[in-house]
mmCIF file of all heavy atoms in Angstrom:
data_model
loop_
_atom_site.group_PDB
_atom_site.id
_atom_site.type_symbol
_atom_site.label_atom_id
_atom_site.label_comp_id
_atom_site.label_asym_id
_atom_site.label_seq_id
_atom_site.Cartn_x
_atom_site.Cartn_y
_atom_site.Cartn_z
ATOM 1 N N SER N 73 8.418 -10.191 45.821
ATOM 2 C CA SER N 73 7.744 -9.147 46.566
ATOM 3 C C SER N 73 6.415 -9.678 47.120
ATOM 4 O O SER N 73 5.950 -10.744 46.701
ATOM 5 C CB SER N 73 7.451 -7.951 45.656
ATOM 6 O OG SER N 73 6.490 -8.310 44.685
ATOM 7 N N PRO N 74 5.782 -8.961 48.018
ATOM 8 C CA PRO N 74 4.480 -9.403 48.573
ATOM 9 C C PRO N 74 3.418 -9.526 47.481
ATOM 10 O O PRO N 74 2.484 -10.283 47.593
ATOM 11 C CB PRO N 74 4.112 -8.308 49.560
ATOM 12 C CG PRO N 74 5.414 -7.715 49.984
ATOM 13 C CD PRO N 74 6.276 -7.784 48.773
ATOM 14 N N GLU N 75 3.600 -8.767 46.389
ATOM 15 C CA GLU N 75 2.619 -8.780 45.301
ATOM 16 C C GLU N 75 2.981 -9.780 44.220
ATOM 17 O O GLU N 75 2.385 -9.812 43.143
ATOM 18 C CB GLU N 75 2.512 -7.404 44.676
ATOM 19 C CG GLU N 75 2.102 -6.295 45.623
ATOM 20 C CD GLU N 75 3.300 -5.724 46.373
ATOM 21 O OE1 GLU N 75 4.462 -5.965 45.972
ATOM 22 O OE2 GLU N 75 3.076 -5.096 47.420
ATOM 23 N N PHE N 76 3.993 -10.640 44.522
ATOM 24 C CA PHE N 76 4.541 -11.519 43.474
ATOM 25 C C PHE N 76 3.472 -12.376 42.782
ATOM 26 O O PHE N 76 3.375 -12.399 41.568
ATOM 27 C CB PHE N 76 5.628 -12.422 44.064
ATOM 28 C CG PHE N 76 6.141 -13.468 43.143
ATOM 29 C CD1 PHE N 76 7.013 -13.139 42.111
ATOM 30 C CD2 PHE N 76 5.760 -14.804 43.259
ATOM 31 C CE1 PHE N 76 7.474 -14.081 41.240
ATOM 32 C CE2 PHE N 76 6.231 -15.761 42.403
ATOM 33 C CZ PHE N 76 7.120 -15.407 41.396
ATOM 34 N N GLN N 77 2.672 -13.092 43.541
ATOM 35 C CA GLN N 77 1.691 -13.994 42.978
ATOM 36 C C GLN N 77 0.648 -13.236 42.143
ATOM 37 O O GLN N 77 0.253 -13.693 41.067
ATOM 38 C CB GLN N 77 0.982 -14.789 44.096
ATOM 39 C CG GLN N 77 1.900 -15.788 44.813
ATOM 40 C CD GLN N 77 2.416 -16.867 43.885
ATOM 41 O OE1 GLN N 77 1.801 -17.188 42.861
ATOM 42 N NE2 GLN N 77 3.538 -17.477 44.253
ATOM 43 N N GLN N 78 0.264 -12.074 42.610
ATOM 44 C CA GLN N 78 -0.713 -11.278 41.875
ATOM 45 C C GLN N 78 -0.098 -10.795 40.543
ATOM 46 O O GLN N 78 -0.776 -10.820 39.513
ATOM 47 C CB GLN N 78 -1.135 -10.059 42.715
ATOM 48 C CG GLN N 78 -2.223 -9.199 42.073
ATOM 49 C CD GLN N 78 -2.634 -8.066 42.992
ATOM 50 O OE1 GLN N 78 -2.241 -7.982 44.133
ATOM 51 N NE2 GLN N 78 -3.426 -7.153 42.435
ATOM 52 N N ARG N 79 1.152 -10.389 40.553
ATOM 53 C CA ARG N 79 1.831 -9.920 39.347
ATOM 54 C C ARG N 79 1.966 -11.024 38.336
ATOM 55 O O ARG N 79 1.783 -10.819 37.128
ATOM 56 C CB ARG N 79 3.207 -9.347 39.720
ATOM 57 C CG ARG N 79 3.160 -8.032 40.476
ATOM 58 C CD ARG N 79 4.539 -7.634 40.985
ATOM 59 N NE ARG N 79 5.492 -7.518 39.899
ATOM 60 C CZ ARG N 79 6.794 -7.551 40.067
ATOM 61 N NH1 ARG N 79 7.301 -7.730 41.256
ATOM 62 N NH2 ARG N 79 7.610 -7.408 39.023
ATOM 63 N N ILE N 80 2.331 -12.238 38.814
ATOM 64 C CA ILE N 80 2.524 -13.351 37.905
ATOM 65 C C ILE N 80 1.168 -13.791 37.302
ATOM 66 O O ILE N 80 1.074 -14.100 36.116
ATOM 67 C CB ILE N 80 3.186 -14.524 38.635
ATOM 68 C CG1 ILE N 80 4.609 -14.115 39.084
ATOM 69 C CG2 ILE N 80 3.256 -15.735 37.718
ATOM 70 C CD1 ILE N 80 5.453 -13.514 37.979
ATOM 71 N N ALA N 81 0.145 -13.781 38.126
ATOM 72 C CA ALA N 81 -1.188 -14.135 37.591
ATOM 73 C C ALA N 81 -1.627 -13.155 36.513
ATOM 74 O O ALA N 81 -2.199 -13.547 35.493
ATOM 75 C CB ALA N 81 -2.202 -14.158 38.756
ATOM 76 N N HIS N 82 -1.325 -11.890 36.740
ATOM 77 C CA HIS N 82 -1.635 -10.845 35.747
ATOM 78 C C HIS N 82 -0.830 -11.075 34.469
ATOM 79 O O HIS N 82 -1.382 -10.963 33.364
ATOM 80 C CB HIS N 82 -1.332 -9.496 36.339
ATOM 81 C CG HIS N 82 -1.449 -8.354 35.349
ATOM 82 N ND1 HIS N 82 -2.644 -8.042 34.722
ATOM 83 C CD2 HIS N 82 -0.501 -7.496 34.841
ATOM 84 C CE1 HIS N 82 -2.448 -7.018 33.879
ATOM 85 N NE2 HIS N 82 -1.172 -6.705 33.954
ATOM 86 N N LEU N 83 0.425 -11.415 34.614
ATOM 87 C CA LEU N 83 1.263 -11.709 33.444
ATOM 88 C C LEU N 83 0.701 -12.859 32.622
ATOM 89 O O LEU N 83 0.547 -12.763 31.391
ATOM 90 C CB LEU N 83 2.689 -12.054 33.901
ATOM 91 C CG LEU N 83 3.616 -12.706 32.868
ATOM 92 C CD1 LEU N 83 3.857 -11.770 31.681
ATOM 93 C CD2 LEU N 83 4.951 -13.099 33.517
ATOM 94 N N MET N 84 0.344 -13.943 33.282
ATOM 95 C CA MET N 84 -0.151 -15.140 32.600
ATOM 96 C C MET N 84 -1.469 -14.838 31.894
ATOM 97 O O MET N 84 -1.684 -15.262 30.735
ATOM 98 C CB MET N 84 -0.359 -16.284 33.596
ATOM 99 C CG MET N 84 0.908 -16.772 34.285
ATOM 100 S SD MET N 84 2.096 -17.503 33.135
ATOM 101 C CE MET N 84 3.369 -18.042 34.265
#
Side-chain angles (χ1 to χ4, degrees):
S73 69
E75 302 83 17
F76 174 75
Q77 293 297 336
Q78 184 178 352
R79 290 171 59 199
I80 296 308
H82 173 63
L83 166 62
M84 298 295 183

